[in-house]
Amino acid sequence: MFAVLRIEKGQNSGLLSRAVHRIKRRKLTAQPIDTPLGGYLLLTAYSERINWDKVEAVCGRAAHALVLPPGLEPPEGGLAARFEPDALRAQLICNACLEIIRRCQVPLYRKVVTLVDRQAHFTDLIPDLLCQCITVRVVTEREGEYRRVSERMMEELGASLLVSNHMEGVGGSLLVLCPDGDGAERLATTVPVLTGGCIDRPSPCRLVGDPRIKPAKELAGIVPEGIDPLDFAGAFYQLGRWKAAEQLRVDALRCKGNLLKPGDIARFIEQSNPQRAAVLPIK
C-alpha cells in the first residue's frame, strides 16, 4: 500500500469556516481508501506547513514514496520523499511515439525512428515500432542484446534493426525516442526528441515530454483532488499491480511552455521538409 498526501485549503466563505480551518491547520488525518485498482492511505493536511515528522510516523515505510501535490517537496534529510512515476512515464512516452508514427501521413520509406536505449530496457517495444516504421535505428551500449533482437525480428517480421553505440546515428529520422531520458538532452538534432526524462535542462535539441493523461475510465472519480493523475496512476502501476496502466493514452506532451497533442506532433512531421532543419512550432 502506498500513501497520498493532499492539502485541503480553507474556504473564505465566512467567519465560521475560516475559524474551523484555523483550528484544523495543524491536523493531519489518515484514511485507508479502497478502489477498483487497489488500496492506498490518504493523508489530508490543512496547511502547506506540513508536520513531516507526523507524516513519517503515520506512513512508516510508505513515506519513502509519497504521492504529493505538484510543487510540494519534503525537506531534505528526512525519510519522506516524493514518488516519481518513472516506469509509467517511460511507458507513456513509448505509447505516444507509436501513436504519433501511426497518425503521421508520410510515405513508408520516410518512416524512420531512432530509439536511444543505452541499457536495453525497452527491447519489447521493437516489434511495435517495426510494425509502424520501415527502419528502426537503435543507439545502445548493449549492442549484443539488440543484435539478438534484430535477428529474431528478421525471422518473425522480415525486418532488422540498425544498431550502434554512437549518438551520431540519429540523422534522417522523423523523431528520436528516449524513454528513460538517458542522454536525451545531449542529442544534436532538429527533429522532435520524445523523452521520459527532464525536458527543462539546457539542450541543443527540442525535448518533448512531461506526458499528461486524463483521469478517464478506471481513474475516473478516484484521483484525489490536487494530485496529478499520472503520479496517482504511476503509484498503482509501480507500487501496486495495475499492469493495465501500460495501455493508457497520452493526452498531451509538453515542449518548453507549450502543450502539444500527439496529433499536433504528427502534423508537424508531415509538414516538415526532411531536407532542411526543422523545429517544433513553439510560439
Side-chain angles (χ1 to χ4, degrees):
M1 181 179 287
F2 62 92
V4 177
L5 172 61
R6 62 178 291 270
I7 297 174
E8 183 177 304
K9 296 183 179 180
Q11 303 295 322
N12 296 321
S13 56
L15 290 174
L16 180 59
S17 69
R18 290 199 295 270
V20 170
H21 184 70
R22 280 197 296 271
I23 295 172
K24 295 167 64 177
R25 282 181 64 181
R26 294 185 178 275
K27 285 191 173 183
L28 180 75
T29 62
Q31 179 184 7
I33 302 292
D34 289 323
T35 78
L37 305 181
Y40 68 96
L41 182 65
L42 177 63
L43 307 181
T44 302
Y46 299 89
S47 168
E48 292 184 355
R49 297 175 62 183
I50 308 295
N51 185 332
W52 290 103
D53 290 336
K54 186 178 291 187
V55 169
E56 293 170 1
V58 171
C59 292
R61 287 166 42 178
H64 292 288
L66 284 169
V67 179
L68 300 172
L72 180 64
E73 296 295 337
E76 294 183 6
L79 295 178
R82 169 181 285 276
F83 167 75
E84 291 292 345
D86 295 328
L88 184 56
R89 187 184 293 119
Q91 179 64 48
L92 291 178
I93 289 294
C94 294
N95 294 354
C97 176
L98 293 172
E99 182 175 354
I100 290 166
I101 295 299
R102 184 166 56 249
R103 284 171 171 262
C104 191
Q105 301 297 310
V106 300
L108 181 59
Y109 72 86
R110 287 180 53 197
K111 287 196 172 184
V112 179
V113 169
T114 295
L115 170 63
V116 180
D117 182 16
R118 293 181 177 278
Q119 299 304 317
H121 291 152
F122 302 96
T123 56
D124 289 346
L125 182 64
I126 293 302
D128 289 332
L129 280 175
L130 285 174
C131 287
Q132 299 291 335
C133 305
I134 188 68
T135 301
V136 175
R137 296 189 174 109
V138 178
V139 178
T140 182
E141 294 176 4
R142 302 182 65 175
E143 293 181 73
E145 188 161 342
Y146 263 107
R147 294 196 190 284
R148 288 191 290 273
V149 173
S150 181
E151 292 172 3
R152 190 174 76 248
M153 290 299 96
M154 177 58 72
E155 294 176 0
E156 296 178 4
L157 300 176
S160 61
L161 309 175
L162 299 179
V163 182
S164 170
N165 63 0
H166 300 296
M167 285 293 193
E168 292 76 12
V170 304
S173 301
L174 293 181
L175 58 80
V176 177
L177 173 62
C178 192
D180 59 9
D182 188 6
E185 72 277 3
R186 298 192 299 275
L187 288 168
T189 179
T190 57
V191 301
V193 177
L194 303 185
T195 175
C198 178
I199 65 171
D200 296 318
R201 298 171 183 161
S203 172
C205 60
R206 293 282 186 175
L207 298 175
V208 183
D210 189 12
R212 313 294 173 89
I213 61 174
K214 289 184 176 180
K217 295 184 179 180
E218 296 95 332
L219 293 173
I222 69 170
V223 181
E225 183 178 357
I227 298 298
D228 188 316
L230 175 55
D231 292 343
F232 190 68
F236 275 116
Y237 176 63
Q238 293 169 229
L239 306 176
R241 297 182 179 180
W242 188 37
K243 295 305 180 184
E246 295 178 351
Q247 307 304 318
L248 288 171
R249 291 184 59 188
V250 173
D251 180 62
L253 297 157
R254 184 166 63 89
C255 182
K256 302 296 184 182
N258 297 266
L259 288 180
L260 306 171
K261 291 187 175 294
D264 297 331
I265 302 173
R267 283 189 291 274
F268 157 73
I269 293 174
E270 293 169 7
Q271 297 166 4
S272 298
N273 185 337
Q275 300 304 317
R276 67 185 183 198
V279 297
L280 281 174
I282 303 303
K283 297 179 182 179

